[in-house]
Amino acid sequence: MKMKFFPERDYNLQYRFKRERAVKYLTVNTKHSGSLVSGITPKSFIGKVDNQGFRLISSTPGIGAFCVLTGTFHTDSCKVNAQVNKPFKILAGIITLMMFATIIMQLITKPGWKNMGLIIPLSMFFFGGSWYLKWTFKRSLHLSINKLNEILIFQQ
């Protein structure tokens, strides 16, 4: 098992009705957009839907754009992959690199135990940020999967 900094989940969801009806319902409830950018809309999702699959974010302001749902339609099921949206990955990566650069600069400029006053809070911030990233993903994923289930009505 390899360790991942950014969480990811896979689902295999069974339809309660035919594939064509599921594609139609999802298309009707999606604001079509080439970019996965959050915005205010009465629709449940923002993104792209076609006969083969979809790439969506939730339209819920604030947390909806954090999780991207990418799915493929099959005859009796839908395979869904959920992962952190790319802009959030880039932002978290930049913040992490800045923390590591600060620690390295601190070690270079002040060798010894005098620099522990900065390293300990930065490492706590790093692990706290990692926990917050996973918690936010889990919350956004739960919201998005529930919305997808309301539209497509999957079997449990």
Side-chain angles (χ1 to χ4, degrees), residues 20-136:
E20 293 77 23
R21 190 171 169 192
V23 173
K24 179 184 170 195
Y25 282 179
L26 194 57
T27 304
V28 167
N29 286 294
T30 302
K31 177 185 173 188
H32 295 281
S33 173
S35 61
L36 298 176
V37 178
S38 183
I40 297 174
T41 179
K43 308 257 181 168
S44 296
F45 293 103
I46 299 170
K48 291 182 180 182
V49 179
D50 59 26
N51 285 329
Q52 275 65 42
F54 56 86
R55 186 164 166 82
L56 306 169
I57 60 170
S58 175
S59 64
T60 305
I63 197 168
F66 194 79
C67 179
V68 177
L69 300 178
T70 305
T72 54
F73 295 115
H74 299 285
T75 53
D76 60 344
S77 67
C78 178
K79 294 192 183 213
V80 179
N81 174 271
Q83 54 187 331
V84 177
N85 203 349
K86 192 175 258 184
F88 292 104
K89 284 183 180 181
I90 293 169
L91 184 62
I94 289 171
I95 291 170
T96 302
L97 285 174
M98 289 173 59
M99 283 189 292
F100 283 126
T102 304
I103 291 171
I104 290 170
M105 291 301 294
Q106 193 71 14
L107 288 171
I108 290 170
T109 57
K110 294 181 186 176
W113 290 98
K114 292 182 181 179
N115 57 1
M116 282 303 181
L118 184 61
I119 292 175
I120 292 172
L122 282 175
S123 60
M124 289 172 60
F125 182 72
F126 173 74
F127 288 113
S130 174
W131 175 83
Y132 182 73
L133 181 82
K134 289 177 177 112
W135 179 78
T136 305

